[in-house]
């Protein structure tokens, strides 16, 4: 799997002296905010291409490309090509504090560290908003493998289950998104949709749709979540007490201003 990229580096190390970092990967609030994009509102019916249809489809795809990011058909019927993934991560990503992550300009060679190595200290940095990666993959590459490859590229030690790959479509001045299942093949989706990014673009985001996979978080992160919940609860209770106190005061003032009887 090879890589190209388009973005600035944006490396901002926040090293901690303690065994664990202060985790900034928790949500800033557990209250859901309104979504900017519509979800699951269009027909996502998948087009199925037969083996005989793949070759002319690849030729059609390549004829529409204005770059050298072409697809190549192999003799066994599989094919390889490039997909572009936009990384839209709200939270910092975590890497080993003893290992500086590669620049977003990352080279085409090399792989990330083994995930089996224990990580006692972490450092975090934010990726630039418009970070984009081009991956050279095969038609057999699954969405879950794309996610792991992206994390390995930046030597991210966060659990891959914290992230999800989304399909994005622009239609009738609306933006629709769909979360890809782990076993879907992004290159096939790219081939079927063609090179037009309005018809299909791929986005890596935090996996926050549906239920939270709490077992994917470390003990310090879970403890940080509990602190956030406690702060939110205290703030909510304070607001409720204030609301009822103001109502009580207004009613008392109204009673005081009325004549008896």
């Amino acid at each position: 799997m090879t890589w190209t990229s388009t973005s600035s580096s944006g490396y901002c190390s926040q090293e901690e002296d303690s065994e664990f970092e202060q985790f900034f990967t928790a949500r800033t609030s557990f209250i859901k905010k309104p979504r900017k994009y519509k979800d699951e509102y269009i027909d996502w019916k998948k087009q199925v291409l037969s083996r005989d249809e793949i070759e002319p489809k690849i030729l059609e795809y390549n004829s529409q490309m204005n770059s050298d990011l072409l697809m190549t058909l192999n003799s066994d019927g599989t094919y390889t090509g490039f997909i572009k993934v936009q990384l839209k991560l709200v939270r910092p990503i975590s890497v080993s504090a003893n290992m500086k992550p590669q620049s977003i300009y990352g080279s085409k060679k090399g792989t990330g560290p083994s995930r089996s190595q224990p990580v006692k200290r972490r450092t975090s940095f934010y990726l630039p908003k418009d970070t984009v990666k081009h991956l050279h993959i095969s038609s057999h590459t699954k969405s879950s493998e794309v996610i792991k490859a992206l994390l390995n590229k930046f030597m991210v030690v966060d659990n891959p289950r914290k992230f999800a790959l989304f399909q994005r479509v622009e239609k009738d001045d609306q933006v629709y998104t769909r979360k890809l299942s782990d076993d879907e093949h992004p290159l096939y989706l790219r081939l079927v949709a063609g090179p037009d990014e309005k018809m299909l673009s791929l986005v890596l985001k935090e996996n926050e749709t549906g239920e939270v996979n709490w077992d994917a978080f470390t003990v310090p992160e879970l403890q940080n979540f509990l602190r956030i919940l406690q702060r939110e609860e205290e703030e909510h209770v304070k607001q409720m007490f204030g609301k009822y106190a103001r109502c009580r005061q207004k009613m008392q003032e109204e009673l005081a201003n009325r004549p008896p009887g």
Side-chain angles (χ1 to χ4, degrees):
M1 187 176 292
T2 56
W3 302 82
T4 58
S5 62
T6 56
S7 184
S8 60
S9 176
Y11 173 77
C12 299
S13 176
Q14 298 177 343
E15 295 190 12
E16 300 290 335
D17 294 331
S18 59
E19 181 178 4
F20 291 98
E21 70 164 354
Q22 179 180 357
F23 284 88
F24 296 96
T25 55
R27 299 186 187 198
T28 55
S29 175
F30 281 85
I31 300 175
K32 289 188 177 181
K33 298 180 180 180
R35 300 180 60 136
K36 294 183 180 180
Y37 302 121
K38 296 188 177 181
D39 192 19
E40 302 289 356
Y41 195 70
I42 61 175
D43 184 10
W44 296 102
K45 188 180 297 182
K46 299 174 186 176
Q47 180 181 350
V48 179
L49 295 178
S50 66
R51 183 165 179 170
D52 293 336
E53 293 173 319
I54 288 177
E55 182 175 3
K57 192 69 175 178
I58 290 177
L59 293 174
E60 179 186 356
Y61 180 94
N62 290 342
S63 67
Q64 299 176 36
M65 291 295 295
N66 296 320
S67 65
D68 58 352
L69 304 180
L70 305 177
M71 292 196 186
T72 302
L73 181 64
N74 302 319
S75 58
D76 60 357
T78 63
Y79 49 96
T80 59
F82 292 87
I83 60 171
K84 184 171 78 171
V85 181
Q86 182 181 7
L87 285 75
K88 297 186 66 174
L89 302 177
V90 178
R91 308 187 190 110
I93 56 176
S94 300
V95 300
S96 172
N98 299 323
M99 187 179 306
K100 181 178 177 180
Q102 296 182 18
S103 167
I104 292 175
Y105 283 112
S107 65
K108 292 185 179 181
K109 296 182 180 180
T111 57
S114 171
R115 292 187 179 275
S116 62
Q117 298 177 354
V119 178
K120 293 184 178 181
R121 296 179 58 213
R122 296 183 178 186
T123 184
S124 297
F125 68 97
Y126 286 90
L127 288 177
K129 292 182 179 180
D130 297 323
T131 300
V132 171
K133 277 292 180 183
H134 289 87
L135 290 74
H136 187 248
I137 62 175
S138 76
S139 53
H140 287 167
T141 306
K142 299 179 180 179
S143 298
S144 58
E145 295 172 326
V146 169
I147 294 173
K148 291 177 181 178
L150 285 167
L151 299 183
N152 284 336
K153 177 61 181 177
F154 296 108
M155 293 175 282
V156 177
V157 296
D158 293 314
N159 193 309
R161 294 175 62 187
K162 294 182 183 179
F163 305 91
L165 198 62
F166 288 81
Q167 174 182 355
R168 184 179 183 273
V169 175
E170 295 182 32
K171 182 179 180 182
D172 300 328
D173 297 326
Q174 297 288 346
V175 176
Y176 304 91
T177 61
R178 179 180 72 91
K179 178 182 173 182
L180 301 185
S181 63
D182 290 343
D183 58 354
E184 288 191 66
H185 300 92
L187 189 61
Y188 179 83
L189 297 177
R190 177 80 278 164
L191 176 62
V192 172
D196 189 352
E197 291 193 5
K198 289 187 176 181
M199 298 299 297
L200 180 141
S201 59
L202 297 171
V203 183
L204 182 74
K205 298 191 293 185
E206 282 88 357
N207 188 11
E208 294 185 345
T209 57
E211 295 185 1
V212 179
N213 296 319
W214 295 112
D215 58 339
F217 294 91
T218 63
V219 171
E221 287 176 311
L222 292 172
Q223 292 173 339
N224 201 36
F225 287 150
L226 289 175
R227 288 192 290 269
I228 292 173
L229 284 174
Q230 182 176 354
R231 288 198 298 267
E232 290 189 354
E233 180 183 5
E234 292 172 352
E235 180 63 25
H236 184 67
V237 170
K238 182 179 178 181
Q239 292 176 358
M240 293 302 295
F241 270 109
K243 175 182 177 181
Y244 284 101
R246 289 190 296 271
C247 290
R248 186 182 299 108
Q249 181 180 0
K250 289 183 178 296
M251 287 187 285
Q252 290 173 342
E253 291 174 353
E254 182 65 24
L255 288 172
N257 291 332
R258 291 190 181 185

